[in-house]
């Protein structure tokens, strides 16, 4: 398995990847740039920058939103953590986490260092994502159930594969890069709700950059790190998925990426969508609600079960808060997840009327919301955001609107528009450092 994946990384003809998947990748990159910019003032980003300042190093790759350069590994770490800091970045059910966070952080750090072009970066992203999905099909569910954060545990592998491709490593070097990436799989879900969750994404990007640079110089790793004795699959009780392996070069999976339109954990989005549908369809007013019942999957409840959040960060992992806030304010963007917002009396009062329970037959993102009102009405709506993904054209429109909303206050409307145009025509850029310069004003 490891050798087949290394061959796929090294030998895939990027011209054989259909253009539509490059278009999906550009939408994903625009989303990544926006959420990374939006997180530039987050405390964890500033702490990581301070750490980089203290440890020093060559100025190689840029920190998004700051216009300063750090080492390539430091830039990958900081930008990867920033992109996941607000939990507003894309995710993917099949990946069991946030696929783009570490992929783009590592690729941009190396792309700027090595002066790579936009088409190569996009192809590397698609190839790395596909490797990550093949591993996810073989062991992702077992990893997640064991308590590991796949954004990191799978992200470092996907990013390692992508960066190996970007640097043009040959098959033996790519094999070592995968070995180096896989042995760095880590990230515990017990860290959710703390700075360590986005730190996982940053470390995945950092590890990928370090791994491929070492592999290029001859640093070795296990050549059967996935399927071999004491390898990744055996460690987590997974098994080689022959169907997924057979899909290499035939399918790409990027169309299954889900960009977020609510600034919270993706497990909360189904209940929010169902609640908003009831509110819009029946003109339900929050003050008239007597009870809210939310039914979801066991995994959703285990991940986002904060009952009464005390901080904005906890609010992102609280199904009751996310639903109550949506019904009271209708604003599910960044402003909804501050320490002040989660303490709003009308919202906390509605949370007290809310119960959440898991149904054993509910699939991962299945959600049902039942609202009863003082007038005796009872409304029910179901949602599954991973089965109701918008088509590419709608993704592009909604993605651009999201980017404009969160990037314009930082860059200014004119520069934000220029950046969006550059990202959505990335294949025409000869040096991705041009894009990084635009993003940094």
């Amino acid at each position: 398995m490891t050798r087949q994946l290394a061959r796929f990384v090294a030998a895939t003809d990027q011209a054989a990847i259909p253009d539509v998947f490059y278009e999906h990748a550009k939408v994903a990159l625009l989303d990544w740039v926006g959420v990374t910019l939006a997180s530039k003032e987050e405390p964890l980003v500033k702490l990581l920058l301070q750490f980089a300042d203290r440890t020093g190093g060559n100025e190689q790759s840029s920190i998004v939103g700051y216009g300063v350069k750090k080492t390539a590994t430091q830039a990958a770490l900081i930008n990867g953590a920033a992109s996941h800091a607000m939990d507003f970045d894309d995710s993917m059910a099949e990946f069991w986490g946030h696929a783009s966070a570490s992929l783009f952080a590592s690729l941009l750090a190396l792309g700027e260092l090595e002066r790579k072009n936009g088409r190569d970066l996009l192809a590397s992203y698609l190839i790395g994502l596909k490797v990550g999905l093949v591993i996810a099909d073989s062991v992702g569910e077992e990893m997640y159930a064991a308590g590991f954060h796949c954004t990191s545990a799978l992200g470092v592998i996907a990013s390692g594969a992508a960066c190996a491709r970007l640097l043009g490593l040959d098959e033996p070097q790519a094999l070592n890069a995968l070995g180096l990436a896989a042995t760095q799989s880590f990230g515990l879900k017990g860290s959710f709700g703390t700075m360590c969750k986005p730190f996982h994404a940053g470390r995945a990007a950092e590890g990928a950059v370090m791994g491929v640079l070492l592999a290029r110089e001859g640093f070795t790793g296990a050549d059967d790190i996935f399927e071999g004795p004491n390898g990744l699959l055996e460690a987590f009780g997974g098994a080689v998925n022959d169907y997924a392996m057979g899909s290499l070069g035939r399918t790409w999976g990027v169309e299954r990426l889900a960009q977020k339109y609510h600034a919270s954990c993706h497990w909360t989005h189904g209940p929010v969508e169902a609640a908003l549908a009831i509110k819009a369809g029946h003109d339900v007013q929050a003050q008239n609600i007597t009870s809210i019942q939310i039914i979801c999957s066991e995994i959703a409840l285990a991940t986002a079960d904060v009952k009464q959040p005390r901080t904005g960060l906890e609010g992102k992992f609280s199904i009751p808060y996310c639903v109550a806030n949506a019904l009271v304010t209708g604003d599910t963007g960044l402003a909804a997840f501050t320490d002040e917002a989660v303490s709003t009396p009308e919202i906390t009062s509605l949370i007290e009327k809310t119960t959440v329970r898991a149904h054993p037959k509910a699939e991962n993102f299945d959600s049902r919301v039942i609202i009863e009102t003082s007038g005796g009405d009872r409304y029910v709506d179901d949602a599954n955001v991973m089965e109701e993904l918008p088509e590419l054209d709608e993704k592009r429109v909604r993605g651009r609107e999201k980017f404009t909303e969160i990037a314009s206050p930082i860059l200014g409307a004119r520069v934000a528009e220029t950046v969006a145009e550059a990202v959505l025509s990335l294949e025409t850029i000869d040096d991705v450092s041009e894009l990084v310069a635009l993003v940094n004003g």
Side-chain angles (χ1 to χ4, degrees):
M1 181 185 195
T2 311
R3 287 185 180 277
Q4 287 183 51
L5 290 172
R7 188 174 305 121
F8 170 73
V9 169
T12 296
D13 181 0
Q14 68 180 49
I17 304 174
D19 288 343
V20 65
F21 299 117
Y22 284 98
E23 295 300 315
H24 278 283
K26 289 187 288 186
V27 171
L29 177 57
L30 184 65
D31 190 75
W32 184 91
V33 172
V35 297
T36 306
L37 277 170
S39 301
K40 67 187 293 282
E41 299 299 327
E42 286 291 295
L44 74 95
V45 178
K46 293 184 175 182
L47 288 171
L48 289 171
L49 267 171
Q50 291 172 16
F51 178 77
D53 288 341
R54 286 196 299 272
T55 54
N58 296 329
E59 294 184 353
Q60 298 174 322
S61 304
S62 299
I63 308 303
V64 172
Y66 279 89
V68 299
K69 289 188 176 183
K70 301 297 178 185
T71 69
T73 51
Q74 289 169 340
L77 168 64
I78 296 168
N79 291 333
S83 70
H84 192 45
M86 291 187 172
D87 229 295
F88 208 7
D89 51 314
D90 67 37
S91 66
M92 196 174 189
E94 294 86 348
F95 197 86
W96 291 91
H98 302 259
S100 296
S102 63
L103 273 163
F104 282 126
S106 56
L107 286 169
L108 279 175
L110 274 183
E112 184 179 7
L113 176 66
E114 301 273 332
R115 311 301 292 263
K116 296 297 183 178
N117 66 53
R119 185 74 169 185
D120 286 346
L121 187 143
L122 292 170
S124 299
Y125 170 83
L126 291 168
I127 289 167
L129 176 64
K130 181 60 180 181
V131 170
L133 288 172
V134 169
I135 302 300
D137 280 336
S138 299
V139 75
E141 185 171 5
E142 291 82 359
M143 272 185 164
Y144 200 87
F148 281 77
H149 186 198
C150 292
T151 298
S152 176
L154 295 176
V156 67
I157 297 169
S159 301
C163 289
R165 174 55 185 236
L166 187 68
L167 292 190
L169 299 193
D170 61 24
E171 186 178 326
Q173 291 171 322
L175 189 66
N176 285 326
L178 290 176
L180 280 157
T183 202
Q184 296 181 77
S185 291
F186 83 109
L188 295 173
K189 290 195 296 180
S191 297
F192 285 10
T194 75
M195 290 182 181
C196 283
K197 186 173 189 282
F199 180 65
H200 292 166
R203 285 300 301 274
E206 176 192 42
V209 170
M210 180 188 299
V212 297
L213 290 174
L214 288 171
R216 185 167 66 175
E217 299 303 317
F219 203 103
T220 62
D223 60 10
D224 59 353
I225 194 63
F226 298 126
E227 75 283 4
N230 296 314
L232 193 79
L233 302 188
E234 185 176 292
F236 289 98
V240 176
N241 186 315
D242 292 329
Y243 180 83
M245 290 295 294
S247 72
L248 288 170
R250 296 193 299 104
T251 65
W252 297 94
V254 67
E255 71 279 5
R256 295 290 303 159
L257 270 178
Q259 279 75 45
K260 285 187 175 183
Y261 309 112
H262 312 299
S264 55
C265 173
H266 233 136
W267 296 110
T268 70
H269 287 212
V272 167
E273 289 288 337
L276 287 174
I278 291 173
K279 180 181 180 179
H282 303 282
D283 193 27
V284 173
Q285 302 300 311
Q287 62 269 24
N288 296 329
I289 295 174
T290 56
S291 74
I292 302 172
Q293 298 178 58
I294 302 167
I295 304 169
C296 59
S297 68
E298 293 174 344
I299 196 168
L301 184 58
T303 307
D305 67 342
V306 176
K307 305 296 188 299
Q308 189 73 261
R310 297 160 297 176
T311 66
L313 188 57
E314 287 185 346
K316 291 175 179 287
F317 297 91
S318 170
I319 293 173
Y321 170 75
C322 290
V323 169
N325 168 72
L327 290 168
V328 171
T329 72
D331 182 358
T332 60
L334 297 174
F337 298 95
T338 65
D339 294 351
E340 295 75 24
V342 299
S343 302
T344 304
E346 190 176 2
I347 295 175
T348 57
S349 175
L350 196 57
I351 290 174
E352 292 174 358
K353 301 174 184 177
T354 301
T355 58
V356 185
R357 64 183 176 88
H359 194 287
K361 292 186 178 181
E363 296 293 333
N364 293 333
F365 285 89
D366 288 343
S367 306
R368 170 168 291 179
V369 173
I370 304 167
I371 294 178
E372 296 181 350
T373 69
S374 55
D377 295 313
R378 185 176 186 271
Y379 304 109
V380 182
D381 198 86
D382 297 331
N384 185 321
V385 294
M386 294 300 179
E387 296 299 328
E388 299 156 6
L389 294 174
E391 297 296 325
L392 174 60
D393 287 344
E394 184 181 350
K395 277 189 175 184
R396 190 184 290 112
V397 170
R398 294 181 72 176
R400 192 153 183 166
E401 289 173 349
K402 176 183 172 181
F403 177 81
T404 299
E405 180 181 346
I406 61 181
S408 293
I410 300 164
L411 300 176
R414 182 182 62 81
V415 176
E417 180 69 16
T418 301
V419 170
E421 289 292 338
V423 171
L424 294 176
S425 58
L426 189 67
E427 71 277 11
T428 67
I429 292 179
D430 293 329
D431 184 342
V432 296
S433 63
E434 298 172 23
L435 173 63
V436 176
L438 283 175
V439 172
N440 286 322

